[in-house]
Amino acid sequence: MPITTNDGVSLHYETTGDGPTVVFVGDVGYGAWQWGWHHDAVAGPYEAVVWDLRGTGDSDAPAGPYDVATLAADLDAVLGDHGVRSAHLVGAGLGGMIALQYAHEYSRARTLTLYNTASSGDAVDAEALDALGLDRGPKQSLSGAFSPRFREDATDLVERITGWREAEDATGDAFAAQATAMTAFSAPPLYEVTQPAELYYGVDDPVVPSDAAESLAADLPRGTSEAVEGRHCSFVEHAQPVTDRLTAFLDQHTEDQH
């Protein structure tokens, strides 16, 4: 369903399931396909909210550059429109940065689950990030996202991912605007982000180095980190164990509320 932000940008989001709300916040360029595996694991006992960042999918693509503060305001507009009072946030890459900013600035964040995220854009390899863009070629741009073994062994799935990307991903100026938001990010004071937080990072991620992700977890008062085999989309490549951990984390912090 579409909403319009205060600056006139139309944002698209969809909801499935019934229960505590889990909101998925996407990475640079990638459409809603990136959350397909998580969505199936979560929707039902939880309400899953998936939205397209400005520049992606069915949302508007206003001229950039974008910044994380604006994207966090977009997230609040989505949650406000849907009447959500509190939500578990799950973000990847840029989406993790948006979740951090949102948790500091707004009152609805309940927990954070972050994939391949850093506290500063200075830690992001801008060239490796740019190489993930669909404009680099559907197959070539997957090399930084998935391990060689995955790309060789899961050829049918890789073909489906390529089709989903061609239908949903941000390209051109919209991709560049989102990438600028990621590389220009500087986290708010992390000691003030007190929500329970779990971070997962790809051990071979060319975009966000392992030490940057580990440092972020260490600086969050309630943060933990765990390595996952793979590259920038390690959370997709190893979706089953990652989503098992996610649902356990959500269950724990839902029970804590009772």
Side-chain angles (χ1 to χ4, degrees):
M1 60 189 74
I3 65 161
T4 302
T5 66
N6 289 337
D7 60 346
V9 176
S10 177
L11 301 175
H12 178 83
Y13 73 94
E14 295 183 0
T15 68
T16 312
D18 184 24
T21 301
V22 181
V23 183
F24 296 99
V25 192
D27 203 353
V28 172
Y30 293 146
W33 65 266
Q34 70 192 290
W35 300 121
W37 298 265
H38 287 63
H39 182 277
D40 290 348
V42 166
Y46 294 88
E47 177 186 53
V49 177
V50 179
W51 62 293
D52 295 333
L53 301 187
R54 56 175 67 200
T56 303
D58 292 326
S59 290
D60 284 350
Y66 306 159
D67 58 46
V68 169
T70 298
L71 298 172
D74 287 349
L75 171 56
D76 196 57
V78 168
L79 297 184
D81 181 78
H82 192 50
V84 175
R85 297 182 62 183
S86 69
H88 302 281
L89 305 185
V90 182
L94 171 61
M97 294 174 171
I98 296 167
L100 283 171
Q101 184 74 31
Y102 188 87
H104 182 264
E105 191 171 346
Y106 299 91
S107 62
R108 306 182 209 255
R110 191 164 170 180
T111 67
L112 305 177
T113 302
L114 311 176
Y115 304 131
N116 302 315
T117 294
S119 62
S120 171
D122 291 341
V124 175
D125 187 312
E127 291 186 5
L129 176 62
D130 185 61
L132 296 178
L134 191 58
D135 293 337
R136 291 294 188 98
K139 297 292 179 64
Q140 299 90 321
S141 60
L142 291 177
S143 63
F146 298 105
S147 69
R149 180 175 179 177
F150 178 82
R151 287 179 281 126
E152 292 166 4
D153 293 350
T155 53
D156 289 346
L157 178 54
V158 168
E159 287 294 335
R160 292 200 299 275
I161 289 173
T162 298
W164 296 330
R165 295 187 68 205
E166 290 173 340
E168 300 174 9
D169 277 16
T171 58
D173 291 344
F175 179 93
Q178 292 181 6
T180 297
M182 186 171 185
T183 57
F185 178 66
S186 180
L190 293 176
Y191 65 86
E192 295 178 351
V193 180
T194 57
Q195 293 86 348
E198 288 198 340
L199 287 80
Y200 299 86
Y201 59 91
V203 295
D204 295 315
D205 184 358
V207 179
V208 178
S210 299
D211 58 352
E214 291 174 337
S215 175
L216 170 57
D219 288 340
L220 289 168
R222 301 174 71 185
T224 63
S225 65
E226 183 164 336
V228 180
E229 294 295 326
R231 299 185 175 177
H232 195 60
C233 286
S234 55
F235 64 99
V236 172
E237 183 167 341
H238 298 285
Q240 186 63 60
V242 171
T243 56
D244 285 348
R245 290 293 300 270
L246 170 63
T247 54
F249 179 66
L250 297 175
D251 291 346
Q252 174 189 344
H253 291 288
T254 298
E255 292 169 0
D256 288 349
Q257 299 295 312
H258 299 292

